Amino acid sequence: MQVQVNELPKIVGDLVREARVVDLHTHLYPPMCKELFLRGIDDLLTYHYLLVETLRYGRITPEAFFALSKEKQADEVWKTLFVDHSPVSEACRGVLTVLKAYGIDAAPNSLDEIRDFFKTLSPEEHADRVFAAANLDYVVMTNDAFDQVETAYWGPDFIKDKRFRAALRIDPLLNTPDAAMKFMREKGYNTGPKMSAETAAEMRRFLADNADQIEPLYLAASLPPTFRWKDGTVSGQIMEEAIVPFCKERNIPLALMIGVRKLVNPEMRLGGDSLGRCCVASLEQMCLENPDMRFLITLLSRENQHELCVAARKFPNLKIFGCWWFLNNPSLVREITEMRMEMLGVSFIPQHSDARVLDQLIYKWAHSKEIIADVLVDNYSKLLETGWSLTKEDIKRDIDLLFSGNANEALGL
Ligand code: HDL
Ligand code: ZN
């Protein structure tokens, strides 16, 4: 059955809303991880995006704020951003989208009632409700081999819930190699203090031993804008002699999330990072020299997005994913998704949530799906104007690729 242009908003909107989702990058953990399993209103309100927005009003110093209990911090955020000012920022609106999804009529004076609601949800029931509400097949976690609080939970039970798949995250190995080699030495790996063939082999053994515990779908690192492939530094050698060979041995992709300038304001803690533009030409060289490697790439700078699309046209092994972090705002998701569809068709992964709190999955996916559906309607409308005909099955095929198929293909699933 051919689709008419005036039918597109409803057909596309429904199919996008119903689309099953693979969420390629989150900071979530399964319910068994107790204090790491963040959920509910106080965790939503103390999300680092909202903390920096609250501290901008200067009512309290960061030092005094972080000395408060989580509940008192949440009170301060709620009063500052929701009671005394209109919650129009994306992160504020996200909280309200979540509450609306639970059928809660949020108002300035409803924080205690909201807290009471979340107390009624057990961890497992909460996870079930959120995964159903966001149509999630599975999320990929961020599993930091250098975080001993997290690795204490690793083992068979950690990966039993197949809704939470692992990704092995190894930032220190590239960003603070001396400290990483010391950490590994203390764990029994003969690494450093200088880089050598032996050290590279021991790093690969460290990666293998960690991967054996959590079965990661990919290896991941967040890198500064100064990252360059084969730049002659120790980090460059580690990338070339340990990380890339390990990914090839395991046949898993390498996810590089590039452009973070860490802690430009340390007193903001998790909210203290900023961004910078990176060198896409260097990524092209990396893809050129490793045609048998799949690289999952997301860049933090808006100014990098167009050249990243061009690079993806040159290298099929460069898999663009998501509108990351400071780009995950409707105005930029729209601009970037339009740019990607114009240059890459439907051969990219438009979004990941980066969720840190379970309930964020609801709003991060609802807000992004709304924008991506708009961009699809616009492109399909233009397609129909050429006289091309489209069926509902064609549209569903494209949407399933965007929200799960391309991610599963990039992961070799
Ligand atoms: O390094 C990353 O994975 C980033 O996403 C950071 O965790 C960042 O703090 C964040 O939460 N962004 O959304
Ligand atoms: Zn992240």
Side-chain angles (χ1 to χ4, degrees), residues 25 27 142 169 257 324 354 356:
H25 171 62
H27 298 271
T142 296
R169 182 73 174 258
M257 307 166 67
W324 182 31
D354 220 344
R356 287 178 171 273

Side-chain angles (χ1 to χ4, degrees), residues 97-112:
T97 297
V98 169
L99 298 179
K100 184 179 177 187
Y102 286 123
I104 297 170
D105 290 330
N109 61 356
S110 55
L111 185 52
D112 288 340

Side-chain angles (χ1 to χ4, degrees), residues 174-185:
L174 289 168
N175 298 334
T176 53
D178 291 341
M181 285 193 253
K182 181 173 180 297
F183 177 92
M184 289 184 279
R185 275 199 303 278

